[in-house]
Amino acid sequence: MDSISNFVSDISHRISDLVSGEDHEEHVKQEEAAEEARNALLEDLEEVEDAAIEAARQEYSSILPSPQFKMGPILRYEDVVVDQRRWIGSALIVTDRQDPPRLVIRDPTKSQLGYARPRRLDSWEGNHFYKYDIQLTLLAHREKNIEYWFETENGRRVNNPQKWNFFVPALDEAFNWAFYSCNGFTSDVEDPEGNFHGANPLWDDLLTAHDGKPFHVMVGGGDQIYNDDVLATKEMVEWLAKDEEERIATEFSPDKKQAVEKFYFDHYIQHFTSGTYSKALSLIPSVNSWDDHDILDGYGSYPPKYQLSNVMQGIGAAATKFYLLFQQHCNPSSAAKSGLTTAPSAKGYNTVTHFGKRTLVVLPDTRSERTKEQILTKETYDHLDRQIREQLLPTTRHLVIVLGTPLVYPALTLFEDTLETMGDTLSRGGIVGKIFGKSKAFQNVLGQFGPELLDDLVDSWACNIHTEEKKFFVELLQKIAVSRNVRVTFVGGDVHVGGAGRLFGTDSKDALRDPYHMTQIVSSAIVNGPPPGAVIGALHNSAKTYPLNDFTSEQMTEIFNQDVTGDDLENKKLLNRRNWCEVRELTTGLELEFTIRVENEDHIGTKKYPLLVERLEVGHREQ
């Protein structure tokens, strides 16, 4: 009878997969992998609450990408299902092999090893993307040091396989994370090695902090990779050389598609297997959003006739394909299963995820729907509103919104006046590029296309054209803060400085009880070079307190009294040095401590600038 049932079940599965367009054999492998993960890592109840935790300094020289693959392993964090005490994430490899090995996972609180089978996401030119789904059970009061390796190396078992590890949090204890952005050099940075000691110094500092108190997640706030040189491919150079009418009418032919996809694939492989960054990718699970450089400098903010041209849309499609694969461990058909959400009538890949019991983190996709006039569609705002309200837990105290560019920043209407007073100190085009992280690629394309001088300003929330949308977004979050008693905080990068700002109730006398009090953390760049001092002076001159609406005001905050050298600073709101942000949960989630870690002058280590965000203390809380 069982054989008949199994036969009927198999036929039903095959019919279902045929209708849905899924590969049946791949579907079977997924179910087998899920079954193995359940049996080995979730259902074994022999847990040891006091399992030893080793956070001593690791020997990072031995932490390298696996030599048997083209890339990987790299880790991704998806979510914690609090009521099930379940951690969900994945590992990714890229290989030309058709039969990659199983992933072995050692949870020190389990009596058995766990195994995850590879699931193929996609292939490109003989290279295959394999995802390993990982699910783990959380302890209440002790984090776990999870070790993982591959069952075989180059098809054979070895006595001492290369191993990696990562930490998963305790359910009732602190959830620790790191934020970074702008993880590359733009073409206008002179002598990156000589002037900045290259890309590794702050990644070295991040891993040093990880040694002392492990990070459970690292959040990429955008520009995890700089893909601007896609325009330097032969096919794109030829396209840019055409006159305006020809350029707009040019088709995204197969040879252009091949050249663009090859660039993205090769560049991701090179970038994700290089330097200290590659070590971090295999040791700390990532949560990523993206910004323009992950696609092409300024993508989305070009005038419509250029943004909607066949070639520009083709570039966007190629960038999306590899962004989903490399950074999100999925393809369009599996995005929803990987925790990415999209409104039914909209597009883009938004993330809403729990950083433990007390913090909900939201990463809206502010690139996929962007035009000169909008950042997100009304459908996406409605969708995010529903998602946030559904995902807030009774225990949630903090709602963190991660945006590619800062929502709170010096107003550009005031900055325009400052530009006029600067005379020839810096060219208008040059200063705009320095302030908004725009490289020569964007300026060159704009020069070719011929729009007005300051079109790149529309890439920022602080631009006048986005004022109404910014107000709408803030008011949406204010309603959530009031009704659900959560503290809203913004984290953003892009602008290559460290800093902080805030929104607040104009008549408020007590920030602790003000639901409109929302802190903005500004942290970038972990690699790219900062703007010159003249830019910082101009920004400070335009960093005034001004109203957002009838009951909310906005201002930048003075947090830098001293430079990393110990010298007193005149401009205390923004500091033009490379940096990243350490985020620690204090006193069981009542406070989040954001520490902007700013690079020392000798490029060794950082100086810490902490900023405390307290929970919202008001009486009523909707459930």
Side-chain angles (χ1 to χ4, degrees):
M1 191 68 180
D2 287 343
S3 61
I4 295 174
S5 297
N6 290 339
F7 175 75
V8 172
S9 176
D10 183 63
I11 292 296
S12 298
H13 271 98
R14 288 180 183 274
I15 293 172
S16 174
D17 291 340
L18 184 63
V19 171
S20 66
E22 290 192 37
D23 181 276
H24 179 70
E25 299 304 323
E26 200 64 41
H27 192 175
V28 170
K29 288 181 181 179
Q30 290 178 34
E31 291 183 342
E32 289 175 348
E35 184 65 32
E36 286 184 342
R38 276 197 301 274
N39 290 341
L41 299 173
L42 299 177
E43 295 180 358
D44 177 5
L45 300 180
E46 294 182 21
E47 296 182 349
V48 182
E49 184 73 19
D50 62 349
I53 302 299
E54 298 178 4
R57 169 126 189 120
Q58 298 192 62
E59 187 55 57
Y60 286 119
S61 60
S62 64
I63 304 294
L64 299 169
S66 175
Q68 63 178 323
F69 310 128
K70 287 199 171 181
M71 187 214 72
I74 61 175
L75 298 172
R76 178 178 180 264
Y77 172 82
E78 183 176 324
D79 206 353
V80 163
V81 184
V82 170
D83 59 356
Q84 298 177 24
R85 297 171 56 202
R86 184 169 298 183
W87 184 98
I88 303 173
S90 59
L92 180 79
I93 64 168
V94 179
T95 179
D96 57 5
R97 294 173 54 180
Q98 297 278 2
D99 59 340
R102 292 191 302 178
L103 191 70
V104 186
I105 304 160
R106 186 185 70 84
D107 180 335
T109 71
K110 302 290 186 179
S111 61
Q112 302 178 63
L113 295 174
Y115 295 89
R117 291 180 184 270
R119 176 162 59 90
R120 186 171 62 82
L121 295 173
D122 204 345
S123 298
W124 188 85
E125 296 292 304
N127 300 285
H128 311 295
F129 293 81
Y130 288 101
K131 177 181 181 179
Y132 297 84
D133 292 301
I134 304 171
Q135 294 193 21
L136 303 163
T137 301
L138 302 181
L139 296 178
H141 298 291
R142 295 300 299 267
E143 68 184 351
K144 297 182 184 182
N145 185 354
I146 304 297
E147 196 172 37
Y148 70 103
W149 63 94
F150 293 97
E151 189 173 31
T152 61
E153 294 183 358
N154 296 316
R156 60 186 182 85
R157 293 183 181 275
V158 293
N159 293 327
N160 296 300
Q162 183 174 358
K163 294 182 178 181
W164 301 264
N165 73 294
F166 63 97
F167 290 83
V168 297
L171 189 62
D172 293 330
E173 305 300 328
F175 194 110
N176 302 311
W177 51 287
F179 173 85
Y180 73 96
S181 66
C182 303
N183 184 37
F185 289 107
T186 43
S187 57
D188 57 342
V189 175
E190 296 181 6
D191 192 7
E193 287 296 331
N195 291 327
F196 296 99
H197 292 196
N200 289 332
L202 289 181
W203 282 110
D204 291 339
D205 186 66
L206 190 151
L207 287 186
T208 297
H210 178 64
D211 278 331
K213 186 183 288 186
F215 292 116
H216 305 122
V217 167
M218 61 181 185
V219 175
D223 301 341
Q224 281 74 253
I225 183 171
Y226 277 63
N227 283 321
D228 306 327
D229 281 347
V230 66
L231 292 182
T233 58
K234 179 176 72 70
E235 290 77 4
M236 293 298 98
V237 169
E238 292 172 354
W239 172 63
L240 286 173
K242 297 176 182 291
D243 63 39
E244 179 179 323
E245 191 174 325
E246 263 191 300
R247 196 160 46 241
I248 294 171
T250 298
E251 292 297 322
F252 194 60
S253 59
D255 65 315
K256 290 182 177 60
K257 181 174 184 289
Q258 168 69 17
V260 167
E261 290 191 350
K262 177 175 170 47
F263 170 83
Y264 281 116
F265 177 84
D266 289 347
H267 194 208
Y268 264 110
I269 294 293
Q270 182 273 329
H271 189 59
F272 278 24
T273 57
S274 298
T276 309
Y277 180 53
S278 71
K279 302 176 189 296
L281 288 172
S282 64
L283 297 171
I284 309 172
S286 291
V287 172
N288 292 328
S289 185
W290 66 341
D291 204 29
D292 56 337
H293 292 287
D294 296 281
I295 312 168
L296 166 69
D297 197 7
Y299 186 87
S301 294
Y302 292 99
K305 60 182 177 181
Y306 309 124
Q307 182 63 44
L308 298 176
S309 67
N310 295 320
V311 172
M312 193 68 80
Q313 289 296 295
I315 291 172
T320 300
K321 172 180 179 175
F322 290 110
Y323 163 69
L324 290 177
L325 289 168
F326 282 101
Q327 297 199 45
Q328 302 291 5
H329 299 192
C330 69
N331 54 38
S333 64
S334 65
K337 293 179 181 178
S338 296
L340 302 179
T341 70
T342 305
S345 58
K347 61 180 181 178
Y349 300 95
N350 310 287
T351 299
V352 180
T353 182
H354 301 88
F355 280 14
K357 298 171 65 173
R358 293 167 291 272
T359 300
L360 187 69
V361 178
V362 181
L363 299 92
D365 180 346
T366 59
R367 280 294 149 187
S368 294
E369 298 180 315
R370 183 182 288 264
T371 69
K372 279 191 68 177
E373 290 74 31
Q374 76 171 22
I375 297 173
L376 296 169
T377 62
K378 176 63 164 56
E379 290 78 12
T380 294
Y381 282 115
D382 291 344
H383 174 73
L384 288 172
D385 190 14
R386 289 192 300 273
Q387 285 285 306
I388 292 169
R389 291 177 183 274
E390 289 172 5
Q391 295 299 322
L392 285 170
L393 303 173
T395 53
T396 304
R397 292 295 176 263
H398 292 273
L399 174 59
V400 178
I401 312 295
V402 177
L403 299 170
T405 60
L407 191 97
V408 179
Y409 207 62
L412 297 186
T413 51
L414 299 176
F415 182 73
E416 278 289 276
D417 297 335
T418 303
L419 279 178
E420 295 295 336
T421 66
M422 290 186 66
D424 296 328
T425 305
L426 289 171
S427 71
R428 288 170 62 84
I431 195 171
V432 166
K434 289 292 185 184
I435 288 169
F436 298 104
K438 297 295 160 237
S439 71
K440 291 178 182 177
F442 190 44
Q443 295 171 7
N444 287 345
V445 174
L446 287 175
Q448 293 281 358
F449 284 147
E452 61 270 22
L453 176 65
L454 297 181
D455 261 352
D456 47 350
L457 291 184
V458 304
D459 225 32
S460 167
W461 284 97
C463 175
N464 192 48
I465 200 170
H466 297 313
T467 298
E468 287 303 310
E469 182 175 353
K470 173 180 170 179
K471 184 168 72 170
F472 175 83
F473 190 23
V474 170
E475 289 174 353
L476 180 155
L477 294 169
Q478 287 177 334
K479 291 174 184 175
I480 293 174
V482 169
S483 66
R484 303 299 292 274
N485 191 23
V486 292
R487 176 69 72 195
V488 177
T489 302
F490 299 99
V491 182
D494 183 69
V495 289
H496 303 172
V497 299
R502 68 182 185 125
L503 295 158
F504 58 97
T506 304
D507 298 326
S508 172
K509 299 295 188 290
D510 183 2
L512 201 61
R513 298 179 181 274
D514 178 10
Y516 301 154
H517 191 280
M518 302 176 179
T519 298
Q520 167 78 68
I521 304 297
V522 182
S523 179
S524 73
I526 196 166
V527 170
N528 211 347
V535 168
I536 299 303
L539 285 169
H540 274 82
N541 289 337
S542 57
K544 313 295 183 182
T545 300
Y546 65 95
L548 178 82
N549 56 26
D550 292 341
F551 48 87
T552 312
S553 295
E554 174 182 345
Q555 65 180 197
M556 300 304 293
T557 307
E558 293 188 348
I559 62 170
F560 300 110
N561 291 314
Q562 289 187 331
D563 200 349
V564 296
T565 59
D567 296 333
D568 291 339
L569 289 168
E570 181 179 354
N571 296 323
K572 298 177 172 59
K573 298 173 182 176
L574 300 168
L575 185 55
N576 55 330
R577 294 186 184 276
R578 299 196 298 184
N579 64 88
W580 63 279
C581 187
E582 175 181 12
V583 189
R584 306 287 184 183
E585 191 178 312
L586 306 181
T587 57
T588 60
L590 300 185
E591 303 163 334
L592 291 181
E593 184 179 55
F594 293 82
T595 301
I596 301 176
R597 297 180 61 133
V598 180
E599 183 178 28
N600 289 324
E601 278 203 323
D602 61 2
H603 308 289
I604 300 173
T606 53
K607 180 177 174 64
K608 301 177 183 179
Y609 297 87
L611 186 66
L612 201 63
V613 174
E614 297 179 295
R615 73 167 182 173
L616 178 61
E617 288 193 3
V618 295
H620 175 67
R621 179 180 175 88
E622 264 185 28
Q623 300 301 324

